[in-house]
Amino acid sequence: MTSATACFVIVSRNDIPIYDAELGSSTVRKEDAAHQHQFILHAALDVVQDVAWTTSAMFLKSVDRFNDLVVSVYVTAGHILLNPICYLLMLLHDSRNEDGMKSFFQEVHELYIKILLNPLYLPGSRITSSHFDTKVRALARKYL
Amino acid sequence: MATGGTHLRLEGVPKFMRLGYLIGHGENIERSPVNSATLSMLPWPKPAVWPSVPPDASSEVFTKEKASLSYIHCLETYSLFVQEGSEKDKDHRLEEWMILQANSRIKYFSIHRKPLPLEPSSLLREANRRRASFSAGNMSELLESHQTPNDGSGSDGLSRLSPASKIHASTMSRTYSGPATCDNFPPLDRPMRLSEIHVAAQHALCCTISDADLWKSLSSIEEFEAKYIELTKGAADNYHRSWWKRHGVVLDGEIAAICFRHRNIDLAARSYEKVCALYAGEGWHDLLAEVLPNLAECQKILNDQAGYLSSCVRLLSLDNGLFLIKERQAFQAEVIRLAHSAMKDPVPLDVSSLITFSGNPGPPLQLCDGDPGILSVIVWSGFPNDITLESLSLALIATFSADEGIKAIKCSSDPVLRPGKNIITLDLPPQNPGSYVLGVLTGQIGNLIFRSHSFSKGGPPDSDDFMNYEKPTRPVLKVSKPRPLVDITAAISSALLMNETQWVGLVIRPIDYLLKGAILHIDTGPELVVEQSHVIEIESYSKAMEIACQVQGEDSIDSPVSGCELKQLALNNGQVELPDWAKDITTVVWLPVRAVDNRLARGTSAVFPQKQNVVDGMRTIALKLEFGVAHNQTFERSYILLVCISLLSKSSETKPRSDMANLGDTSNSLSFYRTIAVHFTDPFHISTRVADKCSDDSLLLQVIIHSQVKASLKIDDAWLELQEGFLHMGEGDGRPSSSSFPLTLAPSSRAAMLFSIRPGSIISRGELETSHEDSIVNIKYRISGDRCIGAHNPLREAPTGSKEELLFKSALALLQPVLNPCLAVGFLPLASDCLRVGQLVSMKWRVERLKTLENACSADQDEFLYEVDVNPENWMIAGRKQGHVSLSTKQGSRVVITVSCMPLISGHVRPPQLALPSLCDANLSYNPAGPHLVCILPPTLSSSYCVPAAH
């Protein structure tokens, strides 16, 4: 089952969003919702920074909620402020499929590592690769 | 602290807001993301029965309806305003638009945003639905049939405001509106109007709420807002204390909105600045785009021109997709308006994220030291429209030295930046050697002085903060160190003919540089003349060498000039302008010069070759070449044209003299000095020797001719003019004994001629001859050489044919033979075999006259001076050291000179020597001829000092 609404953001160190995408099958006016989704995700960073210190788990299933949307976070190795290439994968979604979400995060993580290995990519800069975008959207269709 | 879904605000605040919304304070709640996020997820209260309108509340309903009517009307107007095809009067729409601005989410700069919802679903529908579920009819469905299909979504507060539905809703609302009487009170089967819902809710809450403070807060809009601010401030403080800075700052923004509405602009601006700083710092530009226009408006009202300008530029710097093109144009219009307004002081502003720049792709601009250039730079403009700049300059940072500082280069013209990519050309003055990277871009728009530190990698401006810290590393300009840009060398490597007009070839070789419009200044030194009557020639070096090789192979006598494509140049005031085609190829400039030497060549003896002092015959020619962009480059070279007269053929090879090579090395960066020797020499060097001495006093004089040049010499004739005291044998006219003319002499080879002469008295035949101090050899010769190699046929004013004969003269000093000495001086053997130190000894010399001096003219030939030459450390002379003795002029007369002396040291020492200073050494014969030694023993021991042994 595909998630109706989802907003996915990769946040680098210094909490800078380096990739964001509106995912999901919903035909709701995304331009209206986008700011609000980003608003929720941005505010959820406060919670993530608290929770990340209390758990060693990389996958935080439900950090925050918005209506029936849930903010799930995947924290990569190391804590946010310690590791210069540590980053967060944040997803605002209405999916109940936990395994699918985990798989989505892991595969996007792999994709991002491939991007990092690109010598022309400056770590921390915005991801503008259309290939990456296409793959992320395909993964969202597959797992969410 | 609350966790979970309502993190954005403490739980009490949204519930309070919801209550306020229910009783009709919704218009006063800011439709901000945070309010929308909190309220749209908070479900409507679910009472068992939705409250009905109390019967005595008609006046309240009327008041509420009047208030809400204006609000709904404004929303309707808004929808009409955004519709292009609306037929309403524009002025009317504009007026309504102004009213709308106070209530809806329409921002400044004509930014259109659809309002965010504050409710999970339509209150009207929810209330009526819940009421209808208790009635027989299904009026809610009837109502929903008028709604759009989208109304079923969770955020239908948005869709409620869509134009079609709004019109229906308002129409219905108006249909049922009117004077509120008891008769009009809605029965259960009639849908409630919004105002009725508000009044019903208010009454229901009045019965429910027991807390007087809370009820007071809900009683009026002012009280509601005061409580709202109090709660929000408390929540913000709590969030700040718990380091949830994002939550805290967002709530600060809500307070700012209330402050703005209450015209407390200063406080609002400060709060908005905090929100903007958070979003900008963390790079959430979508969120920044929501708040920044509010801040800009505050700054505009506060007349904070610098801040307002900065905000406008920041708005322009945000992603293109965040604003419509019209909105971006409005930002730019504001920037330009402010920049050209009468601001007191120029405002400096950083536009790093709006205007970026980069060098041209590809290799950096390469310039030679001292050359100006044109640097082309790509500038990316983030402005939506063309923008005219008053000035634009770019700083270059030297990568090699921190002391070099930053040099700003101004754009010559006032550039107009188009949206996107622009290529700007900058006039580059001469720079110091090294590599340069782009520094900071500065410019001026009216009173706005902007600068950009942002270096783009050739793409559009990147608003990502992370990229702004990226420093450019690729140099855009490389200025090479001072290096020779051109080299001028001599085209020939061997000697040229002295006293003849010869071509001197100057090879002008550009070294990776264009000699455009080059001017060669020629200034000859003393004793060197440039033949003005002849033109200067120029030809391609490779072509000249090619022809020279062919000529050498064919061994042609003719000059190679005829077969080569030549261009002739005129010499004006010592200047020659090089043609344009010579700018990038190596060329040879042929200069007709004549080295002047008035001295006669001198021959030498084959036994004692005489070395020539080369410094005596130097000639100089100063060359200066002006070239480069605007003739900024100069090349100077002093030639030493070396006159080489009598070097032996082997040593006459042309070599740069190392001792002269650094006369003025590297005096400044634009001039190069070097000395290269080009020889001028006579064609021949003459040396003589006596080949044989015959019994009849005649001599066979061999005159050896050394060819000094790398050219074939053909000797047609030669004769010897003898000095006084010598005569030619027989009836000779001075020609050599064996005539083998014409005699061809290969380059650097030798030939000899024999002359039979004898010493003899002058003028035996009674002829009047010119007397010479020296003998003179005359040689008539022709030369066939190549000017690319060395000596060649001299230039003539009017050539009379190829059989051009040249005459060479060389002086020879013939010495008369010395036959016999007049006096013999003999050292007589010592009386004792062994000399001892301290023992007096008599040294004796016998002087004997061998013959009478022929040329003796003095009267006192019988008396001469003698002198004893002795080392005073070895010998002590007892008596006179010098004196006069008389000797008869008769042949065989002799005299003995005795000098007493005492040796002072033992060993082998030179004995005293007798010298006759008044007589020439040539007339004396010594025996022994050379220095000799005598043995001196130590002094004898004295026995009187000896002590016998004890036994």
Side-chain angles (χ1 to χ4, degrees):
Chain A
M1 172 186 165
T2 308
S3 175
T5 309
C7 179
F8 176 64
V9 176
I10 299 178
V11 181
S12 77
R13 66 194 178 112
N14 302 330
D15 306 323
I16 298 173
I18 56 172
Y19 174 78
D20 59 273
E22 282 291 326
L23 308 172
S25 58
S26 171
T27 54
V28 177
R29 299 159 300 278
K30 287 180 180 171
E31 67 275 15
D32 294 338
H35 292 176
Q36 209 161 29
H37 289 168
Q38 288 215 5
F39 179 77
I40 303 295
L41 286 169
H42 177 250
L45 281 173
D46 276 339
V47 191
V48 175
Q49 286 184 349
D50 274 3
V51 176
W53 290 100
T54 61
T55 177
S56 59
M58 295 172 79
F59 177 61
L60 310 175
K61 184 188 167 190
S62 175
V63 172
D64 203 353
R65 292 185 150 276
F66 172 64
N67 286 346
D68 50 349
L69 301 178
V70 181
V71 178
S72 297
V73 176
Y74 187 83
V75 187
T76 63
H79 281 300
I80 300 168
L81 299 177
L82 299 181
N83 190 343
I85 59 164
C86 174
Y87 47 92
L88 298 173
L89 310 183
M90 301 182 76
L91 182 68
L92 180 71
H93 63 96
D94 56 0
S95 171
R96 306 274 176 209
N97 182 3
E98 189 177 330
D99 291 338
M101 255 187 305
K102 272 187 182 174
S103 306
F104 173 75
F105 277 131
Q106 282 166 356
E107 295 213 15
V108 171
H109 189 192
E110 281 181 22
L111 275 178
Y112 183 64
I113 287 170
K114 284 179 187 170
I115 288 277
L116 275 179
L117 292 175
N118 183 350
L120 299 177
Y121 174 73
L122 188 70
S125 62
R126 210 166 172 84
I127 300 174
T128 52
S129 162
S130 58
H131 177 72
F132 181 83
D133 188 58
T134 312
K135 295 279 266 183
V136 167
R137 288 178 191 281
L139 287 173
R141 276 196 299 276
K142 184 177 174 186
Y143 292 115
L144 301 180
Chain B
M1 182 182 299
T3 56
T6 52
H7 276 130
L8 294 168
R9 189 165 290 177
L10 294 179
E11 274 189 17
V13 184
K15 285 185 178 173
F16 176 72
M17 290 164 69
R18 170 52 43 83
L19 291 178
Y21 189 89
L22 274 174
I23 62 173
H25 297 330
E27 306 94 278
N28 296 86
I29 298 176
E30 185 77 7
R31 289 181 176 264
S32 62
V34 59
N35 286 342
S36 174
T38 50
L39 288 180
S40 64
M41 62 175 290
L42 189 69
W44 291 118
K46 293 183 176 64
V49 179
W50 196 272
S52 301
V53 185
D56 55 346
S58 57
S59 60
E60 292 177 48
V61 171
F62 180 69
T63 313
K64 290 267 182 195
E65 191 163 323
K66 205 174 174 185
S68 62
L69 191 64
S70 67
Y71 176 65
I72 292 171
H73 185 60
C74 284
L75 294 178
E76 184 185 333
T77 313
Y78 166 73
S79 69
L80 289 171
F81 185 81
V82 296
Q83 277 180 334
E84 291 294 328
S86 173
E87 293 177 357
K88 277 202 158 192
D89 175 38
K90 283 189 178 176
D91 291 337
H92 182 221
R93 282 162 55 197
L94 192 62
E95 184 186 344
E96 287 173 332
W97 165 249
M98 298 298 287
I99 300 166
L100 187 65
Q101 250 193 332
N103 296 318
S104 69
R105 271 192 86 230
I106 297 162
K107 294 186 180 283
Y108 318 99
F109 302 107
S110 313
I111 298 172
H112 298 171
R113 291 285 182 275
K114 289 184 178 177
L116 292 171
L118 291 178
E119 56 281 291
S121 59
S122 165
L123 176 62
L124 189 71
R125 193 148 32 92
E126 177 72 14
N128 283 313
R129 189 178 62 79
R130 292 186 67 83
R131 281 186 71 252
S133 63
F134 293 99
S135 68
N138 199 349
M139 291 306 288
S140 64
E141 289 175 8
L142 180 69
L143 182 70
E144 281 177 8
S145 66
H146 293 282
Q147 307 293 328
T148 59
N150 279 341
D151 284 358
S153 68
S155 56
D156 62 354
L158 283 171
S159 61
R160 190 175 69 86
L161 300 170
S162 65
S165 63
K166 277 200 299 279
I167 292 166
H168 284 296
S170 60
T171 309
M172 191 186 327
S173 172
R174 280 173 188 166
T175 308
Y176 288 105
S177 65
T181 60
C182 290
D183 300 336
N184 289 339
F185 282 165
L188 273 179
D189 54 352
R190 187 177 68 77
M192 289 173 74
R193 294 196 302 267
L194 198 60
S195 53
E196 290 170 346
I197 294 170
H198 289 155
V199 171
Q202 192 173 4
H203 280 271
L205 284 174
C206 181
C207 303
T208 313
I209 294 174
S210 57
D211 186 39
D213 284 344
L214 178 59
W215 179 244
K216 188 187 171 192
S217 305
L218 292 171
S219 60
S220 69
I221 289 173
E222 291 76 20
E223 291 290 336
F224 173 75
E225 279 191 349
K227 188 72 177 174
Y228 172 79
I229 289 177
E230 181 194 336
L231 288 174
T232 307
K233 270 186 179 169
D237 289 345
N238 282 338
Y239 281 131
H240 281 303
R241 273 198 290 273
S242 60
W243 290 98
W244 282 25
K245 59 174 181 180
R246 297 175 187 84
H247 286 68
V249 168
V250 161
L251 292 187
D252 286 338
E254 294 307 307
I255 296 167
I258 304 285
C259 292
F260 183 75
R261 201 186 303 158
H262 289 261
R263 312 310 289 174
N264 192 353
I265 308 297
D266 197 31
L267 193 60
R270 274 190 301 213
S271 296
Y272 277 135
E273 272 174 9
K274 274 198 267 182
V275 185
C276 290
L278 176 77
Y279 288 147
E282 296 191 344
W284 294 72
H285 293 137
D286 294 30
L287 305 179
L288 182 62
E290 289 285 313
V291 191
L292 199 50
N294 300 345
L295 174 63
E297 185 62 23
C298 289
Q299 288 164 332
K300 187 180 179 183
I301 295 168
L302 289 173
N303 203 23
D304 176 11
Q305 289 174 328
Y308 185 52
L309 257 179
S310 171
S311 294
C312 290
V313 168
R314 284 167 76 188
L315 281 167
L316 281 168
S317 308
L318 293 174
D319 277 352
N320 289 352
L322 292 174
F323 293 106
L324 301 173
I325 184 72
K326 280 183 184 174
E327 296 160 0
R328 291 173 53 77
Q329 283 168 346
F331 302 152
Q332 180 177 343
E334 280 296 286
V335 169
I336 293 172
R337 183 185 66 79
L338 271 177
H340 290 97
S341 68
M343 284 194 290
K344 284 179 185 172
D345 301 310
V347 178
L349 202 60
D350 192 331
V351 295
S352 295
S353 47
L354 187 60
I355 297 176
T356 60
F357 54 93
S358 67
N360 263 335
L365 178 66
Q366 302 256 8
L367 285 183
C368 293
D369 178 49
D371 266 4
I374 294 174
L375 182 67
S376 148
V377 177
I378 298 174
V379 176
W380 294 86
S381 166
F383 286 100
N385 287 344
D386 290 0
I387 186 158
T388 308
L389 309 180
E390 268 72 26
S391 69
L392 184 73
S393 59
L394 194 63
L396 286 181
I397 302 173
T399 57
F400 55 92
S401 163
D403 303 334
E404 195 63 31
I406 296 171
K407 294 178 178 175
I409 297 156
K410 276 196 97 174
C411 185
S412 51
S413 58
D414 297 342
V416 176
L417 291 185
R418 296 187 313 275
K421 184 178 175 183
N422 297 274
I423 295 177
I424 304 290
T425 53
L426 304 162
D427 292 337
L428 206 59
Q431 302 288 322
N432 285 342
S435 58
Y436 294 85
V437 294
L438 292 178
V440 58
L441 180 85
T442 50
Q444 197 169 356
I445 309 169
N447 276 331
L448 169 65
I449 298 169
F450 67 84
R451 65 187 186 283
S452 170
H453 303 273
S454 185
F455 180 79
S456 79
K457 288 181 173 177
D462 195 336
S463 56
D464 195 342
D465 285 345
F466 191 86
M467 296 299 288
N468 290 346
Y469 300 120
E470 178 97 0
K471 293 293 177 204
T473 51
R474 203 172 64 86
V476 291
L477 169 68
K478 279 188 177 174
V479 180
S480 57
K481 288 182 179 174
R483 66 171 179 92
L485 304 175
V486 64
D487 192 24
I488 301 183
T489 52
I492 46 162
S493 60
S494 62
L496 299 175
L497 286 181
M498 175 65 82
N499 285 325
E500 301 287 353
T501 306
Q502 297 274 279
W503 291 107
V504 168
L506 305 171
V507 179
I508 300 176
R509 182 170 62 92
I511 305 172
D512 296 333
Y513 200 87
L514 290 182
L515 304 178
K516 209 169 182 180
I519 295 175
L520 182 65
H521 298 255
I522 299 164
D523 185 15
T524 56
E527 297 185 318
L528 189 70
V529 181
V530 175
E531 294 290 348
Q532 299 281 352
S533 55
H534 288 81
V535 289
I536 292 171
E537 295 177 352
I538 185 168
E539 63 182 330
S540 164
Y541 178 71
S542 55
K543 213 164 191 176
M545 290 302 110
E546 189 182 324
I547 290 170
C549 291
Q550 287 174 3
V551 168
Q552 213 172 12
E554 292 167 7
D555 199 18
S556 167
I557 297 175
D558 292 332
S559 171
V561 178
S562 56
C564 182
E565 281 186 20
L566 288 171
K567 300 286 173 189
Q568 294 186 333
L569 306 173
L571 185 68
N572 293 325
N573 297 326
Q575 297 180 5
V576 180
E577 194 172 339
L578 299 186
D580 197 43
W581 56 265
K583 64 185 176 187
D584 55 347
I585 58 167
T586 306
T587 49
V588 189
V589 173
W590 294 105
L591 210 61
V593 297
R594 189 161 58 86
V596 181
D597 188 11
N598 294 323
R599 290 173 300 175
L600 194 62
R602 292 196 70 83
T604 57
S605 165
V607 182
F608 305 107
Q610 187 184 358
K611 293 290 179 189
Q612 174 71 25
N613 184 3
V614 292
V615 182
D616 290 344
M618 274 189 205
R619 303 288 188 275
T620 57
I621 177 167
L623 300 173
K624 187 169 90 171
L625 187 66
E626 283 184 356
F627 59 100
V629 185
H631 284 187
N632 60 313
Q633 303 280 5
T634 313
F635 179 92
E636 291 186 17
R637 167 156 294 179
S638 287
Y639 270 92
I640 303 252
L641 302 173
L642 196 61
V643 180
C644 179
I645 298 175
S646 55
L647 290 182
L648 291 180
S649 59
K650 261 191 179 177
S651 61
S652 68
E653 291 292 328
T654 309
K655 285 177 186 170
R657 289 183 53 83
S658 58
D659 55 338
M660 300 175 195
N662 298 315
L663 286 178
D665 212 5
T666 62
S667 61
N668 66 53
S669 61
L670 295 179
S671 303
F672 305 95
Y673 296 94
R674 203 179 303 158
T675 305
I676 292 177
V678 177
H679 293 184
F680 274 77
T681 183
D682 291 318
F684 306 106
H685 171 66
I686 305 294
S687 62
T688 56
R689 75 181 187 96
V690 177
D692 199 9
K693 184 179 173 185
C694 303
S695 56
D696 58 348
D697 283 349
S698 65
L699 300 169
L700 211 52
L701 183 69
Q702 187 180 32
V703 175
I704 306 164
I705 305 168
H706 305 255
S707 168
Q708 300 270 66
V709 292
K710 278 192 174 176
S712 179
L713 295 167
K714 190 174 278 186
I715 300 171
D716 289 333
D717 194 9
W719 66 96
L720 180 66
E721 294 172 20
L722 286 172
Q723 64 195 77
E724 287 180 5
F726 291 94
L727 295 170
H728 287 286
M729 289 293 287
E731 295 298 319
D733 54 353
R735 297 288 191 275
S737 310
S738 56
S739 172
S740 58
F741 297 127
L743 173 67
T744 304
L745 198 58
S748 303
S749 62
R750 290 189 290 180
M753 295 179 290
L754 283 175
F755 291 91
S756 185
I757 60 171
R758 63 179 175 87
S761 55
I762 328 155
I763 315 174
S764 57
R765 289 173 294 177
E767 296 172 0
L768 184 64
E769 289 187 6
T770 315
S771 63
H772 299 290
E773 287 185 1
D774 293 317
S775 302
I776 293 174
V777 178
N778 298 284
I779 299 173
K780 271 191 175 177
Y781 69 101
R782 282 175 291 164
I783 185 166
S784 60
D786 182 7
R787 70 176 179 180
C788 297
I789 296 168
H792 51 273
N793 207 14
L795 296 171
R796 297 290 182 195
E797 287 294 331
T800 54
S802 61
K803 299 286 181 185
E804 191 101 8
E805 284 191 338
L806 304 167
L807 181 65
F808 171 69
K809 290 187 175 188
S810 178
L812 289 174
L814 299 179
L815 293 178
Q816 281 205 340
V818 177
L819 300 178
N820 288 308
C822 299
L823 293 172
V825 179
F827 182 71
L828 293 180
L830 293 170
S832 122
D833 288 340
C834 54
L835 304 177
R836 284 189 181 276
V837 173
Q839 197 176 32
L840 206 60
V841 64
S842 294
M843 297 281 178
K844 292 181 179 175
W845 291 270
R846 188 175 65 192
V847 180
E848 185 176 348
R849 188 177 295 280
L850 299 176
K851 65 167 191 172
T852 306
L853 284 176
E854 288 181 358
N855 294 333
C857 55
S858 60
D860 53 352
Q861 280 298 312
D862 54 342
E863 193 174 76
F864 54 86
L865 177 71
Y866 74 90
E867 189 179 38
V868 177
D869 184 18
V870 70
N871 185 353
E873 291 180 359
N874 298 342
W875 298 90
M876 187 181 75
I877 308 269
R880 292 167 57 183
K881 223 178 145 185
Q882 59 183 11
H884 283 88
V885 290
S886 60
L887 185 66
S888 167
T889 54
K890 187 181 172 188
Q891 188 174 2
S893 58
R894 58 182 66 175
V895 65
V896 175
I897 299 169
T898 305
V899 174
S900 294
C901 49
M902 187 169 65
L904 298 176
I905 59 163
S906 59
H908 287 84
V909 295
R910 286 191 67 179
Q913 287 176 301
L914 185 75
L916 303 175
S918 60
L919 295 172
C920 178
D921 280 350
N923 292 324
L924 296 174
S925 169
Y926 284 93
N927 184 27
H932 63 285
L933 299 174
V934 293
C935 180
I936 311 292
L937 296 176
T940 51
L941 291 173
S942 174
S943 58
S944 59
Y945 293 106
C946 298
V947 180
H951 52 282

